[in-house]
Amino acid sequence: MSCNPYMPVPAILEKVIQETSNIKTFLVRPAKPLVFKAGQFVELTVPGTGEAPFTPSSSPAESEKIELTIMRVGKVTEKLHALKPGAELAVRGPLGQPYPLAKYHGKEILIVGGGVGLAPLRALLFALLEEVDKYKKIIVRYGARTPADIVYRKAVEESWGRKDLDVMITVDKSDADWKGNEGVVTTILGPKKLTCNPGEGVAVVCGPPIMMKFATLEILKLGYAPENIYLSMEKNMSCGIGKCGHCRLGPYYACKDGPVFTYDRVKNLNKIWD
């Protein structure tokens, strides 16, 4: 990161991948290599419009270019979704705290994602697969609203081409061609859909707040310890370095102390699921 944390590095938009009707993956090449760890985020600048925080969805092993999977939901993302390859951008970071992978070694990893929340989890999954022998098992449970809303659909449906991954998908509302589970993501976290060992595992959750709330409650019921449940609390982050106070979360700043928090650190704070 630059000595000046507010100074972004110029970058070029090299490729745009349409994931769903309102989600695209942007392949961005910064002027300087950007080394990040899974769970950290960057501030992406769209010149003339503004900047916003996004967590890379690409492998942390790749520093020459990063992928950012972004839903169109506001002014910056609206402009970003309209850009074509070759557009000039800027990026600063990495920012925030990553997943503590060393603490995961020797354990079973349960990854639970919802909607575009699979984006940061994808970077985590790539990082885990880089040293897959260090983990007992990797399980992925993912929910989307409809089959058309599944991000990275081909990769997810093919378990990223890995026989050593236990992947299951569900959709809230199926269509005529859907052969998988129908229901919210908690319907694939029960014993009939999930074989896991909570006493020897960690769970990682990312998605819309309401999904994270009920997924976390279900995971607690399974027997995972609060200190072994990792949540991505990417809420209201702005400056990215804990100065503006927009992302205050009790005694924490989501951008500086997070966005990755264990459930035991935040469970007693007000409005964590808002």
Side-chain angles (χ1 to χ4, degrees), residues 176-198:
D177 297 324
W178 181 250
K179 307 297 183 189
N181 190 79
E182 183 175 8
V184 296
V185 74
T186 51
T187 64
I188 54 173
L189 294 178
K192 292 184 179 178
K193 305 287 186 183
L194 175 63
T195 301
C196 61
N197 188 346

Side-chain angles (χ1 to χ4, degrees), residues 24-244:
K24 292 180 177 179
T25 294
F26 300 86
L27 193 155
V28 175
R29 184 179 292 275
K32 299 178 181 177
L34 194 156
V35 179
F36 71 97
K37 295 180 179 178
Q40 289 186 299
F41 67 99
V42 299
E43 293 280 354
L44 183 66
T45 297
V46 179
T49 301
E51 71 169 11
F54 303 104
T55 302
S57 55
S58 51
S59 172
E62 173 61 74
S63 61
E64 297 293 329
K65 55 189 177 183
I66 59 171
E67 292 180 354
L68 302 159
T69 302
I70 298 170
M71 178 183 287
R72 189 179 66 247
V73 291
K75 185 177 72 171
V76 173
T77 58
E78 189 78 35
K79 180 70 174 180
L80 189 58
H81 270 242
L83 295 179
K84 305 294 182 188
E88 294 182 356
L89 300 168
V91 63
R92 64 183 174 94
L95 302 163
Q97 305 302 316
Y99 294 105
L101 296 192
K103 291 185 177 180
Y104 298 179
H105 290 168
K107 296 183 177 178
E108 187 179 273
I109 316 299
L110 170 62
I111 295 173
V112 183
V116 76
L118 188 59
L121 297 177
R122 182 183 183 232
L124 171 64
L125 180 60
F126 287 145
L128 296 174
L129 293 176
E130 285 284 331
E131 49 179 18
V132 68
D133 292 342
K134 294 184 178 179
Y135 308 100
K136 284 189 175 178
K137 184 179 179 182
I138 301 174
I139 306 167
V140 179
R141 293 292 181 267
Y142 172 61
R145 282 193 307 141
T146 71
D149 294 309
I150 298 172
V151 295
Y152 322 122
R153 182 168 180 175
K154 187 172 187 297
V156 173
E157 290 185 330
E158 296 178 355
S159 299
W160 283 272
R162 306 279 303 216
K163 293 182 179 179
D164 52 354
L165 289 182
D166 173 358
V167 179
M168 185 173 287
I169 317 167
T170 187
V171 295
D172 296 354
K173 186 176 181 180
S174 64
D175 60 22
D177 297 324
W178 181 250
K179 307 297 183 189
N181 190 79
E182 183 175 8
V184 296
V185 74
T186 51
T187 64
I188 54 173
L189 294 178
K192 292 184 179 178
K193 305 287 186 183
L194 175 63
T195 301
C196 61
N197 188 346
E200 296 183 6
V202 300
V204 184
V205 185
C206 186
I210 191 70
M211 168 264 162
M212 291 181 63
K213 174 182 178 179
F214 287 101
T216 299
L217 294 176
E218 199 67 27
I219 289 166
L220 287 166
K221 276 195 251 177
L222 291 173
Y224 284 87
E227 62 270 26
N228 288 332
I229 300 174
Y230 291 80
L231 308 174
S232 192
M233 309 295 287
E234 300 174 9
K235 53 191 302 177
N236 304 322
M237 296 190 299
S238 184
C239 72
I241 54 174
K243 297 296 185 185
C244 71

